[in-house]
Amino acid sequence: METLHPIVSFSYYIAAIALTVLIRNPAVTLGALAGGLCHWAFLTTAKEKRADVGFWLPLALLVTLFNPVFSHNGKTPLFFLNGNAFTFEATVFGAYSAVLVIAVLVWSKAYSRVVTSDKFLYLFGGALPKSALILSVALRYIPMLRKDAARLKDAGKTVGLYSKGSLTDNFLSSCRVYYALIGRTLENAVGTAESMRARGWGRAKRVPYSYYRFKKRDALVAAFSAVLLAVTLAASVSGALSFSFYPGLTAPPLSPLAAAAYGAFALYSLVPLILQTEVRLRWRSLQSKL
Amino acid sequence: MKPGTALKWLIFLLAIPAAAVLGLTVLRDVKWVVWTVAAAVLSAVPFVLTLEKRRHPLTKLILIAAMIALAVGGRVLFYALPGFKPVTAMVILAALYFGPEAGYLTGSFAALISNFYFGQGPWTPFQMAAWGLIGFAAGLLAKYLKKNLVLLALYGAVVGVLYSLVLNFEHTVATIGTFSRDEYVAVTVASLGFTAVYAVSNVIFLLVLCKPVGKILERVTVKYGLNEPPEAG
């Protein structure tokens, strides 16, 4: 996914997240979660995986229980809580919401990993040069600010900031460092602007630097994804995927069109895994067998 | 900013939510998701278009970028205090001294950039719209907020609560796929703690930062003639 042209990867993730949120069908949502997890598995390190799971599991539990506690729709009460029905349907819907929330988080994480800020700037910088200018300058300033902040903090310690160890002292000391940082950065910004103007900023149309090329592989992935998307969307728009939780759970849609859509969407969410496997196989076949 | 442009923007800002509400009453079900995302994204259109079309002093653009970086980068300084983030206060201060448009840009780009570090997601457009509008409104009210510290603190508290309400809305719609009042109220109640932290930290940051940072911003504005007629750009 990382080697794809930004426009392909950006549209791929946006469509994946949009369909996950839009199509309210348990099979589709589970497919999105499964495909997303396959993708997540090779994007993150073991340590990150532990941290993510440690965050997602309690969140899923919370979302699952949250719904039946607050929503009393549904026709099958399991038990009564303060006179309110705790229904089977609401619990199932809570679990479904949890799967949905985690699926969206997984895909958002993958998006953040693959569509980095430079790709984002490449996509929107051409049409919106001034917004891109602001964004890229701000993005460049942040690491610089961090270094400056650390240095100012060290200097502050030598004159007695951060010495009391209390939270108030920490806050006020940080504020003192912050003022210095703000003054310094803004003066610096004016300097940047002066130097840009001296170099002729705004004299001619700006051409963003990029090394992205739209290759045959990009076209293939885009076309393949587009076909799968079209099938899924067609099924969804025609109502073949509709499923409702209240008052009772409806029978899962299993028409040929619905089945085709499940297959298409599952395949769609597995595109990153397919690409990764392809790259690995190619790597292996390129290694010398001697 | 001329009154005419302010009016145009307000129409945009009112027209979009109105369109969203209208769409919601006519279309139902998943249309909530479509409409709310569309509203959040569309609210940025007038600002981005004015930014791209009008001529701006380059210095101002770079200063806005610096304010965005300071708002986002400032978080590392205050990491010891969970939930205490200077972002909203910085957005408001940028708006007070650089104008409503700059306030919007600082707010929405700060949300976008901060999510490059903390993770993008369906919440990004909502955070961008919420922080952007907080900055825009602060810029419009600059005359009063600059003079009156109590009013400024009050503004910080109110927008802290509003910000939380907007994001609860996003959470509700993203989780259950449609808008339900019960669910929204439940989410709001469950997140009261966060809302309180937002509001209180906004007030504290505004009160502490407004004098010294205001002085810096004022000095930069005067020193480099930022509110003078723009040049090439």
Side-chain angles (χ1 to χ4, degrees):
Chain A
M1 283 311 278
E2 287 95 328
T3 53
L4 285 178
H5 190 270
I7 195 149
V8 180
S9 49
F10 179 80
S11 338
Y12 175 82
Y13 287 112
I14 296 295
I17 295 173
L19 284 195
T20 308
V21 177
L22 285 175
I23 302 180
R24 299 277 152 173
N25 179 300
V28 169
T29 312
L30 278 172
L33 179 64
L37 283 176
C38 290
H39 190 11
W40 167 80
F42 60 76
L43 276 179
T44 47
T45 62
K47 204 178 147 199
E48 285 170 328
K49 281 193 186 73
R50 271 197 299 278
D52 282 344
V53 172
F55 172 59
W56 290 338
L57 282 184
L59 180 71
L61 197 69
L62 205 70
V63 174
T64 309
L65 292 178
F66 191 77
N67 192 58
V69 169
F70 287 98
S71 162
H72 313 293
N73 293 329
K75 61 178 184 189
T76 330
L78 294 175
F79 54 90
F80 286 85
L81 205 75
N82 297 332
N84 284 320
F86 194 98
T87 68
F88 170 67
E89 285 81 7
T91 314
V92 173
F93 186 69
Y96 168 76
S97 299
V99 173
L100 178 68
V101 168
I102 305 300
V104 168
L105 286 179
V106 173
W107 279 105
S108 302
K109 178 131 199 167
Y111 168 89
S112 304
R113 279 292 152 88
V114 174
V115 186
T116 45
S117 50
D118 55 317
K119 289 185 187 164
F120 189 84
L121 276 175
Y122 166 77
L123 283 173
F124 294 100
L128 307 168
K130 280 187 202 162
S131 311
L133 171 76
I134 295 182
L135 275 179
S136 56
V137 173
L139 279 166
R140 190 264 168 276
Y141 270 19
I142 289 173
M144 199 170 82
L145 283 181
R146 288 194 170 173
K147 271 188 214 138
D148 277 1
R151 228 177 284 146
L152 288 167
K153 208 169 166 175
D154 285 343
K157 279 180 189 157
T158 64
V159 294
L161 298 181
Y162 297 102
S163 57
K164 296 201 188 79
S166 68
L167 273 186
T168 343
D169 177 57
N170 187 303
F171 175 72
L172 291 175
S173 302
S174 295
C175 284
R176 284 277 297 280
V177 173
Y178 202 30
Y179 307 147
L181 190 66
I182 293 169
R184 190 190 150 87
T185 309
L186 292 183
E187 292 280 347
N188 205 334
V190 176
T192 309
E194 295 289 341
S195 115
M196 283 173 70
R197 199 178 299 117
R199 282 153 219 241
W201 183 84
R203 292 275 156 243
K205 199 179 176 322
R206 287 175 285 283
V207 189
Y209 166 76
S210 81
Y211 59 95
Y212 303 111
R213 271 192 316 136
F214 199 87
K215 300 188 204 99
K216 216 168 93 189
R217 187 161 173 263
D218 295 301
L220 263 173
V221 174
F224 183 64
S225 312
V227 170
L228 297 176
L229 268 186
V231 173
T232 318
L233 270 179
S236 171
V237 169
S238 74
L241 297 177
S242 59
F243 182 87
S244 67
F245 293 87
Y246 301 125
L249 304 183
T250 53
L254 281 172
S255 64
L257 188 56
Y262 297 150
F265 189 70
L267 211 53
Y268 184 81
S269 38
L270 286 174
V271 164
L273 185 68
I274 297 170
L275 289 178
Q276 181 79 2
T277 320
E278 182 240 13
V279 169
R280 275 196 191 157
L281 287 179
R282 203 150 41 137
W283 171 244
R284 203 178 288 173
S285 73
L286 282 174
Q287 278 173 324
S288 168
K289 298 270 163 20
L290 288 173
Chain B
M1 191 182 56
K2 290 182 214 93
T5 26
L7 193 71
K8 199 172 72 193
W9 289 358
L10 278 179
I11 291 172
F12 246 112
L13 298 176
L14 292 178
I16 293 159
V21 171
L22 211 85
L24 293 169
T25 43
V26 181
L27 315 158
R28 269 175 301 152
D29 237 28
V30 302
K31 277 74 183 182
W32 268 103
V33 182
V34 178
W35 270 105
T36 47
V37 173
V41 173
L42 278 176
S43 69
V45 169
F47 295 100
V48 172
L49 283 186
T50 6
L51 168 71
E52 297 295 342
K53 276 208 178 136
R54 260 218 250 137
R55 303 185 134 229
H56 292 268
L58 173 61
T59 319
K60 194 163 180 177
L61 298 185
I62 304 292
L63 280 175
I64 293 174
M67 284 303 283
I68 297 165
L70 283 165
V72 177
R75 299 170 72 145
V76 293
L77 265 179
F78 296 94
Y79 73 94
L81 305 128
F84 267 59
K85 289 167 210 139
V87 185
T88 312
M90 287 300 281
V91 169
I92 294 173
L93 289 171
L96 292 187
Y97 290 90
F98 298 154
E101 196 195 344
Y104 184 90
L105 294 171
T106 312
S108 66
F109 285 170
L112 179 64
I113 289 191
S114 135
N115 286 348
F116 276 125
Y117 291 90
F118 300 96
Q120 306 281 1
W123 49 85
T124 306
F126 291 87
Q127 286 181 330
M128 287 177 72
W131 263 335
L133 293 178
I134 288 172
F136 180 68
L140 289 183
L141 299 171
K143 227 170 54 191
Y144 313 101
L145 295 181
K146 260 193 207 170
K147 262 189 279 175
N148 193 331
L149 215 63
V150 180
L151 221 57
L152 184 66
L154 194 69
Y155 183 78
V158 170
V159 298
V161 173
L162 286 179
Y163 176 81
S164 199
L165 290 180
V166 169
L167 283 169
N168 290 344
F169 185 80
E170 184 271 331
H171 181 84
T172 310
V173 173
T175 324
I176 63 168
T178 175
F179 184 76
S180 120
R181 222 186 53 206
D182 292 348
E183 177 85 11
Y184 182 69
V185 170
V187 170
T188 305
V189 170
S191 64
L192 270 182
F194 291 103
T195 311
V197 172
Y198 282 143
V200 171
S201 76
N202 283 354
V203 172
I204 293 179
F205 269 115
L206 276 173
L207 290 180
V208 175
L209 294 180
C210 86
K211 272 260 169 65
V213 177
K215 229 166 80 187
I216 300 171
L217 294 180
E218 183 79 58
R219 180 168 54 92
V220 170
T221 333
V222 176
K223 185 172 169 188
Y224 299 104
L226 284 187
N227 292 335
E228 280 156 29
E231 52 194 307

